[in-house]
Amino acid sequence: MKRATIITLQAVLALSLLGSLAVQVLILPAIWRDLTDTAFGWRVAAVTILALWLVCLQVVAICIWRLVAMAADDAVFSRGAFRFVDTVIAAIVAAAVLTAAIATLLVPGSIAPGVVGIVYCAALATGGVALVVVVMRSLLLKAVEMRSELDEVV
């Protein structure tokens, strides 16, 4: 992998992490304050789901950072990479479930049904991203197996 690509990706990941931390520190408390007129249980559920969704984003960013570092060291085609890929899959699945939970919270409210449908579609699309990563994991497995075979031959 080219050094410029690695640096660019790490910069994007760092900005993503900083942005998500800023949202956790600045925006979530503002959302909490804005929801003072709603039922307390709904308020707690909404802010908790949003906070957990941000944690999923942070987990994915950190795992991708580690995978990029492994690629830079030419070590990504190893069994150690699977720990990070599996964690990414789990975090994306969790984000999909959390997105569906937010949509479900919106159902009994005064939110337009089309908006709720869009959020459910976003949950479905997020689940689709998890499936794409599962496919990429299987490609990584094949590459690791092929590399192991080549190492034995050489």
Side-chain angles (χ1 to χ4, degrees):
M1 188 179 291
K2 292 183 180 180
R3 186 77 184 138
T5 304
I6 292 168
I7 291 170
T8 302
L9 185 52
Q10 287 177 333
V12 168
L13 292 170
L15 287 173
S16 173
L17 284 168
L18 286 173
S20 66
L21 287 172
V23 169
Q24 283 176 318
V25 172
L26 302 172
I27 305 299
L28 285 182
I31 291 172
W32 178 262
R33 287 188 302 273
D34 287 348
L35 295 175
T36 54
D37 295 338
T38 61
F40 184 75
W42 195 95
R43 183 180 180 196
V44 168
V47 173
T48 300
I49 289 169
L50 292 172
L52 290 172
W53 197 92
L54 288 167
V55 169
C56 290
L57 172 74
Q58 292 164 345
V59 166
V60 169
I62 290 167
C63 288
I64 292 174
W65 185 288
R66 290 294 302 135
L67 288 167
V68 168
M70 291 177 80
D73 295 337
D74 199 30
V76 75
F77 295 114
S78 66
R79 298 280 174 199
F82 289 100
R83 175 180 56 188
F84 298 111
V85 174
D86 291 341
T87 303
V88 166
I89 293 167
I92 294 171
V93 168
V97 170
L98 291 167
T99 304
I102 281 289
T104 303
L105 278 178
L106 295 174
V107 168
S110 60
I111 303 294
V115 172
V116 174
I118 289 170
V119 178
Y120 275 125
C121 287
L124 186 63
T126 305
V129 170
L131 291 174
V132 169
V133 178
V134 168
V135 169
M136 294 176 82
R137 183 192 187 282
S138 68
L139 294 173
L140 176 62
L141 179 61
K142 288 284 187 195
V144 169
E145 289 171 356
M146 291 173 70
R147 187 164 191 164
S148 296
E149 288 174 14
L150 278 173
D151 288 344
E152 288 177 17
V153 170
V154 174

